[in-house]
Amino acid sequence: QVQLVESGGGSVQAGGSLRLSCAASGRTNCMGWFRQTPGKGREGVALIYTPTLSTGYADSVKGRFTISRDNAKNTVYLQMNSLKAEDTAMYYCAAAAGVCDLDSRYYNYWGQGTQVTVSS
């Protein structure tokens, strides 16, 4: 069982930046960030493959968001720059034991979420 605790959400104006953190109690093959708004499904935003630190991003955030991890702290970060109103959502950290993909079905463990609100 892996426990995930997110932090770093908040409110910011469009064009601003936020950094989300996700502290994990164990190490898994893949870590991802997802977001969800009311009435919509969970959207994969970014992932990082633990063995190689390879990363992947949704087209909607490429060039603006950066995922990284600190192995010593077992923590994954999501640096979000040039934020837009449409980035407003609840953001979730997730961990996958197997396949590393932006499809939420592959993820076994989820954090409680942290709210990001971007005002235009």
Side-chain angles (χ1 to χ4, degrees):
Q1 189 78 12
V2 176
Q3 293 183 327
L4 305 171
V5 179
E6 302 106 330
S7 60
S11 297
V12 66
Q13 289 192 328
S17 298
L18 282 173
R19 188 176 82 154
L20 306 183
S21 300
C22 173
S25 64
R27 193 161 169 167
T28 58
N29 195 51
C30 181
M31 297 287 292
W33 284 99
F34 293 78
R35 64 187 182 187
Q36 189 170 22
T37 54
K40 291 189 177 181
R42 202 161 283 188
E43 175 192 16
V45 174
L47 61 83
I48 186 163
Y49 181 54
T50 301
T52 63
L53 300 183
S54 298
T55 59
Y57 298 92
D59 288 342
S60 57
V61 306
K62 277 181 184 175
R64 300 189 298 121
F65 291 11
T66 302
I67 189 170
S68 62
R69 70 173 293 141
D70 183 331
N71 285 332
K73 296 181 179 179
N74 219 13
T75 298
V76 174
Y77 304 97
L78 185 68
Q79 178 67 44
M80 305 185 294
N81 298 329
S82 302
L83 282 162
K84 305 175 182 180
E86 50 263 43
D87 294 318
T88 295
M90 184 70 79
Y91 282 72
Y92 297 90
C93 174
V99 174
C100 200
D101 189 272
L102 284 176
D103 188 332
S104 61
R105 293 173 295 179
Y106 293 112
Y107 289 77
N108 312 96
Y109 308 103
W110 292 85
Q112 80 286 355
T114 185
Q115 178 67 37
V116 171
T117 302
V118 184
S119 57
S120 56

